[in-house]
Structure formats: structure tokens, C-alpha cells
Amino acid sequence: MFTGIISEIGEVKKIFRDGENTAFTIVAPRTSKKLKIGDSVAINGACHTVVRKIKNNFVVESMPETLRRTNFGDFEIGSKVNLERPVGVSGSFDGHFVSGHIDGVATILDIQKDKNSKIFTLAIPPKLSRLVVEKGSLALDGISLTVISIRKNKIAVGIIPHTLKMTNFGTRKIGAKINVEADLLAKHVAKLISQK
């Protein structure tokens, strides 16, 4: 379980593809120091298992389902990624419940400055719009954010300077693909209602 509070921005160092297998080597000195083989780590919000460690780097493998549902297919050497280790039982829970299971990919439509912050407008997959509410929680590239507004499948979120500096959103441009994880409670409620 994660909280959506990013601990470090990592960088994609290597991408290995051999038809069926895809592996990513991530450079992340602070995160790597605390990881061991078999540990979980969220990369842009998608939970992965560490399969290898090399000094300040760690390696994860992505299954086809992950590549279909996330922005991992857009990764290039040098891509900046948000990293978070799972919250411990005695850890601080500062964001919201984030499972690390991506529901779809959004596209940034607009970025506007709002005094000290930036407002990002994104198009989310239509099937996810019923799981998003104004002032509700949403994880975008693994970041716990509050929805400012929603109109059909367009949402707006505000990001403060600290978050822009500590996450990859500081470098995101219009057209960028962003991983979306809807609120866990909303998903369960939607399923229960649909079964009536």
C-alpha cells in the first residue's frame, strides 16, 4: 500500500526488451539504498517488484498488462519517474490510500499558472470519470492529488511549487501521458452499485 507522497524522482537508465520481456533499470540513489530484491516500489504509481540491484540502480520487470495500462511504453532513456516505497505499519500516512494498480492513462490538455501554483487540465478515460468527484482524491503518476473540478472526462488538479519540484510534474508538458489510479473506495462502491 502506498500514500501518493513521492520520495524521489528516478531516471530510466536502461530499457531491455526481448519480445516477451521488458525490464527497466532505474537510477535512484536514495530509494535504491533502502531497497532489496523482492521489495515493492511504485514507479509513476505502478507497483513493481525489484528483481535486481546494482549500486544506485534497481531493476524491475513489467508484464504486458502493465505496459498496456500505463505510460511505461513511452519511457525513454533519461525519462524522469516518480518513486515511492510502500508505507510501513508505523509509517506516516500523509496522502490517501494508493494501491499501485493503474486504471488507465490520462493526457495533459492544458497547464495554467495560478499565482504560486499550476493548474493541470487532463482528459481521463471516459470509463473512469464516474469514479472521480470534485474535491475527491486521485493518484496521477503516483502523486496523491485533490480534484479541483470535473466536467465529463476532463479534470483539473492544482499542484503547488513543492510538488512540482519533488515530482516529475515539474517537467510535464501538454500532450504527456499520465498514469491514473482512481480512488479505491470509489471503485468498490461503483462495483457494488452495478451489481444491484
CSV table of all heavy atoms in Angstrom, one decimal, residues 8-14 24-37 41 43 50-60 83:
chain,number,residue,atom,x,y,z
A,8,GLU,N,11.2,10.3,-4.2
A,8,GLU,CA,12.4,10.6,-5.1
A,8,GLU,C,12.0,10.6,-6.5
A,8,GLU,O,11.1,9.8,-6.9
A,8,GLU,CB,13.5,9.6,-4.8
A,8,GLU,CG,14.8,9.9,-5.6
A,8,GLU,CD,15.9,9.0,-5.2
A,8,GLU,OE1,15.7,7.9,-4.6
A,8,GLU,OE2,17.1,9.3,-5.6
A,9,ILE,N,12.6,11.4,-7.3
A,9,ILE,CA,12.5,11.3,-8.8
A,9,ILE,C,13.6,10.5,-9.3
A,9,ILE,O,14.8,10.8,-9.1
A,9,ILE,CB,12.6,12.7,-9.5
A,9,ILE,CG1,11.5,13.6,-8.9
A,9,ILE,CG2,12.5,12.6,-11.0
A,9,ILE,CD1,11.6,15.1,-9.4
A,10,GLY,N,13.3,9.4,-9.9
A,10,GLY,CA,14.3,8.5,-10.5
A,10,GLY,C,14.4,8.8,-12.0
A,10,GLY,O,13.7,9.6,-12.6
A,11,GLU,N,15.4,8.1,-12.6
A,11,GLU,CA,15.6,8.3,-14.0
A,11,GLU,C,15.8,6.9,-14.7
A,11,GLU,O,16.5,6.1,-14.1
A,11,GLU,CB,16.9,9.1,-14.2
A,11,GLU,CG,17.2,9.5,-15.7
A,11,GLU,CD,18.4,10.4,-15.9
A,11,GLU,OE1,18.4,11.4,-15.2
A,11,GLU,OE2,19.2,10.1,-16.7
A,12,VAL,N,15.2,6.8,-15.8
A,12,VAL,CA,15.3,5.5,-16.6
A,12,VAL,C,16.7,5.5,-17.2
A,12,VAL,O,17.1,6.3,-18.0
A,12,VAL,CB,14.2,5.4,-17.6
A,12,VAL,CG1,14.4,4.1,-18.4
A,12,VAL,CG2,12.8,5.4,-17.0
A,13,LYS,N,17.5,4.4,-16.8
A,13,LYS,CA,18.9,4.3,-17.3
A,13,LYS,C,19.0,3.3,-18.4
A,13,LYS,O,19.7,3.6,-19.4
A,13,LYS,CB,19.8,3.9,-16.1
A,13,LYS,CG,21.2,3.8,-16.5
A,13,LYS,CD,22.1,3.4,-15.4
A,13,LYS,CE,23.6,3.3,-15.8
A,13,LYS,NZ,24.4,2.8,-14.6
A,14,LYS,N,18.2,2.2,-18.3
A,14,LYS,CA,18.3,1.2,-19.4
A,14,LYS,C,16.9,0.7,-19.6
A,14,LYS,O,16.1,0.6,-18.6
A,14,LYS,CB,19.2,0.0,-19.0
A,14,LYS,CG,20.6,0.4,-19.0
A,14,LYS,CD,21.5,-0.9,-18.6
A,14,LYS,CE,22.9,-0.5,-18.5
A,14,LYS,NZ,23.7,-1.7,-18.0
A,24,PHE,N,13.2,-2.5,-16.8
A,24,PHE,CA,13.7,-1.1,-16.7
A,24,PHE,C,14.7,-1.0,-15.6
A,24,PHE,O,14.5,-1.5,-14.5
A,24,PHE,CB,12.5,-0.2,-16.4
A,24,PHE,CG,11.5,-0.2,-17.5
A,24,PHE,CD1,10.3,-0.9,-17.4
A,24,PHE,CD2,11.6,0.7,-18.6
A,24,PHE,CE1,9.4,-0.9,-18.3
A,24,PHE,CE2,10.6,0.7,-19.6
A,24,PHE,CZ,9.5,-0.1,-19.4
A,25,THR,N,15.8,-0.4,-15.9
A,25,THR,CA,16.8,0.0,-14.8
A,25,THR,C,16.6,1.4,-14.5
A,25,THR,O,16.6,2.3,-15.3
A,25,THR,CB,18.3,-0.2,-15.3
A,25,THR,OG1,18.4,-1.6,-15.7
A,25,THR,CG2,19.3,0.1,-14.2
A,26,ILE,N,16.4,1.7,-13.2
A,26,ILE,CA,16.1,3.0,-12.7
A,26,ILE,C,17.2,3.5,-11.8
A,26,ILE,O,17.7,2.8,-10.9
A,26,ILE,CB,14.8,3.0,-11.8
A,26,ILE,CG1,13.6,2.3,-12.6
A,26,ILE,CG2,14.4,4.4,-11.4
A,26,ILE,CD1,13.2,3.0,-13.8
A,27,VAL,N,17.7,4.7,-12.0
A,27,VAL,CA,18.8,5.3,-11.2
A,27,VAL,C,18.0,6.1,-10.1
A,27,VAL,O,17.2,7.0,-10.4
A,27,VAL,CB,19.7,6.3,-12.0
A,27,VAL,CG1,20.7,6.9,-11.1
A,27,VAL,CG2,20.3,5.6,-13.1
A,28,ALA,N,18.3,5.8,-8.9
A,28,ALA,CA,17.6,6.4,-7.7
A,28,ALA,C,18.4,6.2,-6.5
A,28,ALA,O,18.1,5.2,-5.7
A,28,ALA,CB,16.2,5.9,-7.6
A,29,PRO,N,19.4,7.0,-6.2
A,29,PRO,CA,20.3,6.7,-5.0
A,29,PRO,C,19.6,6.5,-3.7
A,29,PRO,O,19.9,5.6,-3.0
A,29,PRO,CB,21.2,7.9,-5.0
A,29,PRO,CG,21.2,8.5,-6.4
A,29,PRO,CD,19.8,8.2,-6.9
A,30,ARG,N,18.7,7.4,-3.3
A,30,ARG,CA,18.1,7.4,-2.0
A,30,ARG,C,17.1,6.1,-1.9
A,30,ARG,O,17.1,5.4,-0.9
A,30,ARG,CB,17.3,8.6,-1.7
A,30,ARG,CG,18.1,9.8,-1.4
A,30,ARG,CD,17.4,11.0,-0.7
A,30,ARG,NE,16.0,11.2,-1.2
A,30,ARG,CZ,15.7,12.1,-2.2
A,30,ARG,NH1,16.7,12.7,-2.8
A,30,ARG,NH2,14.5,12.2,-2.6
A,31,THR,N,16.3,5.9,-3.0
A,31,THR,CA,15.4,4.8,-3.0
A,31,THR,C,16.1,3.5,-3.0
A,31,THR,O,15.8,2.5,-2.3
A,31,THR,CB,14.4,4.9,-4.1
A,31,THR,OG1,13.7,6.2,-4.0
A,31,THR,CG2,13.4,3.8,-4.1
A,32,SER,N,17.1,3.4,-3.9
A,32,SER,CA,17.9,2.1,-4.1
A,32,SER,C,18.6,1.7,-2.8
A,32,SER,O,18.6,0.5,-2.5
A,32,SER,CB,19.0,2.3,-5.2
A,32,SER,OG,18.4,2.4,-6.4
A,33,LYS,N,19.0,2.7,-2.0
A,33,LYS,CA,19.7,2.4,-0.8
A,33,LYS,C,18.9,1.6,0.2
A,33,LYS,O,19.3,0.7,0.9
A,33,LYS,CB,20.2,3.7,-0.1
A,33,LYS,CG,21.0,3.6,1.1
A,33,LYS,CD,21.4,4.9,1.6
A,33,LYS,CE,22.3,4.8,2.8
A,33,LYS,NZ,22.7,6.2,3.3
A,34,LYS,N,17.6,1.8,0.1
A,34,LYS,CA,16.6,1.2,1.1
A,34,LYS,C,16.0,-0.1,0.5
A,34,LYS,O,15.2,-0.7,1.2
A,34,LYS,CB,15.6,2.2,1.5
A,34,LYS,CG,16.1,3.4,2.2
A,34,LYS,CD,15.1,4.4,2.4
A,34,LYS,CE,15.6,5.7,3.1
A,34,LYS,NZ,14.6,6.8,3.2
A,35,LEU,N,16.2,-0.4,-0.8
A,35,LEU,CA,15.5,-1.5,-1.4
A,35,LEU,C,16.4,-2.8,-1.4
A,35,LEU,O,17.6,-2.7,-1.4
A,35,LEU,CB,15.2,-1.2,-2.9
A,35,LEU,CG,14.1,-0.2,-3.2
A,35,LEU,CD1,14.1,0.1,-4.6
A,35,LEU,CD2,12.8,-0.6,-2.7
A,36,LYS,N,15.7,-3.9,-1.3
A,36,LYS,CA,16.3,-5.2,-1.5
A,36,LYS,C,15.5,-6.0,-2.5
A,36,LYS,O,14.4,-5.6,-2.8
A,36,LYS,CB,16.5,-5.9,-0.2
A,36,LYS,CG,15.2,-6.3,0.5
A,36,LYS,CD,15.5,-6.9,1.8
A,36,LYS,CE,14.3,-7.4,2.5
A,36,LYS,NZ,13.3,-6.3,2.9
A,37,ILE,N,16.1,-7.0,-3.1
A,37,ILE,CA,15.4,-7.8,-4.1
A,37,ILE,C,14.2,-8.4,-3.5
A,37,ILE,O,14.2,-8.9,-2.4
A,37,ILE,CB,16.4,-8.9,-4.6
A,37,ILE,CG1,17.5,-8.3,-5.4
A,37,ILE,CG2,15.6,-9.9,-5.5
A,37,ILE,CD1,18.6,-9.2,-5.8
A,41,VAL,N,8.0,-1.3,-5.1
A,41,VAL,CA,8.3,0.1,-5.3
A,41,VAL,C,7.3,0.6,-6.4
A,41,VAL,O,7.0,-0.1,-7.3
A,41,VAL,CB,9.8,0.4,-5.7
A,41,VAL,CG1,10.1,-0.3,-7.0
A,41,VAL,CG2,10.0,1.9,-5.8
A,43,ILE,N,6.4,3.0,-9.3
A,43,ILE,CA,7.1,3.8,-10.4
A,43,ILE,C,6.0,4.5,-11.2
A,43,ILE,O,5.2,3.8,-11.8
A,43,ILE,CB,8.0,2.9,-11.3
A,43,ILE,CG1,9.0,2.2,-10.5
A,43,ILE,CG2,8.6,3.8,-12.4
A,43,ILE,CD1,9.7,1.1,-11.2
A,50,VAL,N,11.2,-5.4,-7.2
A,50,VAL,CA,12.6,-5.2,-7.5
A,50,VAL,C,13.2,-6.6,-7.8
A,50,VAL,O,13.1,-7.5,-6.9
A,50,VAL,CB,13.4,-4.5,-6.3
A,50,VAL,CG1,14.9,-4.5,-6.6
A,50,VAL,CG2,12.8,-3.1,-6.1
A,51,VAL,N,13.8,-6.8,-9.0
A,51,VAL,CA,14.4,-8.1,-9.3
A,51,VAL,C,15.9,-8.1,-9.3
A,51,VAL,O,16.5,-9.1,-9.3
A,51,VAL,CB,13.9,-8.6,-10.7
A,51,VAL,CG1,12.4,-8.8,-10.7
A,51,VAL,CG2,14.3,-7.6,-11.8
A,52,ARG,N,16.5,-6.9,-9.2
A,52,ARG,CA,18.0,-6.8,-9.2
A,52,ARG,C,18.4,-5.4,-8.7
A,52,ARG,O,17.6,-4.4,-8.9
A,52,ARG,CB,18.6,-7.0,-10.6
A,52,ARG,CG,20.0,-7.4,-10.6
A,52,ARG,CD,20.5,-7.9,-11.9
A,52,ARG,NE,19.6,-7.4,-13.0
A,52,ARG,CZ,20.0,-7.3,-14.2
A,52,ARG,NH1,21.2,-7.7,-14.6
A,52,ARG,NH2,19.2,-6.8,-15.2
A,53,LYS,N,19.5,-5.4,-8.0
A,53,LYS,CA,20.1,-4.1,-7.5
A,53,LYS,C,21.5,-4.0,-8.0
A,53,LYS,O,22.3,-4.9,-7.9
A,53,LYS,CB,20.0,-4.0,-6.0
A,53,LYS,CG,18.7,-3.5,-5.4
A,53,LYS,CD,18.8,-3.2,-4.0
A,53,LYS,CE,19.8,-2.0,-3.8
A,53,LYS,NZ,19.9,-1.6,-2.4
A,54,ILE,N,21.9,-2.8,-8.5
A,54,ILE,CA,23.3,-2.5,-8.9
A,54,ILE,C,23.6,-1.1,-8.4
A,54,ILE,O,23.2,-0.1,-8.9
A,54,ILE,CB,23.4,-2.6,-10.4
A,54,ILE,CG1,22.7,-3.8,-11.0
A,54,ILE,CG2,24.9,-2.5,-10.8
A,54,ILE,CD1,22.2,-3.6,-12.4
A,55,LYS,N,24.4,-1.1,-7.3
A,55,LYS,CA,24.8,0.2,-6.7
A,55,LYS,C,23.6,1.1,-6.5
A,55,LYS,O,22.7,0.8,-5.7
A,55,LYS,CB,25.9,0.9,-7.5
A,55,LYS,CG,27.1,0.1,-7.6
A,55,LYS,CD,28.2,0.8,-8.3
A,55,LYS,CE,29.5,-0.1,-8.4
A,55,LYS,NZ,30.5,0.5,-9.2
A,56,ASN,N,23.5,2.3,-7.2
A,56,ASN,CA,22.4,3.2,-7.0
A,56,ASN,C,21.3,3.0,-8.0
A,56,ASN,O,20.4,3.8,-8.1
A,56,ASN,CB,22.9,4.7,-7.3
A,56,ASN,CG,23.9,5.1,-6.2
A,56,ASN,OD1,23.7,4.7,-5.1
A,56,ASN,ND2,24.7,6.1,-6.5
A,57,ASN,N,21.2,1.8,-8.6
A,57,ASN,CA,20.2,1.4,-9.5
A,57,ASN,C,19.4,0.2,-9.0
A,57,ASN,O,19.9,-0.6,-8.3
A,57,ASN,CB,20.8,1.1,-10.9
A,57,ASN,CG,21.7,2.1,-11.4
A,57,ASN,OD1,21.6,3.3,-11.2
A,57,ASN,ND2,22.7,1.7,-12.2
A,58,PHE,N,18.2,0.1,-9.5
A,58,PHE,CA,17.4,-1.1,-9.3
A,58,PHE,C,16.7,-1.5,-10.6
A,58,PHE,O,16.5,-0.6,-11.5
A,58,PHE,CB,16.4,-1.0,-8.1
A,58,PHE,CG,15.3,0.0,-8.3
A,58,PHE,CD1,14.1,-0.3,-8.9
A,58,PHE,CD2,15.5,1.3,-7.9
A,58,PHE,CE1,13.1,0.6,-9.1
A,58,PHE,CE2,14.5,2.3,-8.0
A,58,PHE,CZ,13.3,1.9,-8.6
A,59,VAL,N,16.4,-2.7,-10.7
A,59,VAL,CA,15.8,-3.2,-12.0
A,59,VAL,C,14.4,-3.8,-11.6
A,59,VAL,O,14.2,-4.5,-10.6
A,59,VAL,CB,16.7,-4.3,-12.6
A,59,VAL,CG1,16.0,-4.8,-13.9
A,59,VAL,CG2,18.0,-3.7,-12.9
A,60,VAL,N,13.4,-3.5,-12.5
A,60,VAL,CA,12.1,-4.1,-12.4
A,60,VAL,C,11.7,-4.6,-13.7
A,60,VAL,O,12.2,-4.2,-14.8
A,60,VAL,CB,11.0,-3.1,-11.9
A,60,VAL,CG1,11.3,-2.5,-10.5
A,60,VAL,CG2,10.9,-1.9,-12.9
A,83,LEU,N,8.9,8.0,-7.7
A,83,LEU,CA,9.1,6.8,-6.9
A,83,LEU,C,8.6,6.9,-5.5
A,83,LEU,O,8.6,8.0,-4.9
A,83,LEU,CB,10.6,6.5,-6.8
A,83,LEU,CG,11.4,6.3,-8.1
A,83,LEU,CD1,12.9,6.2,-7.9
A,83,LEU,CD2,10.9,5.1,-8.9
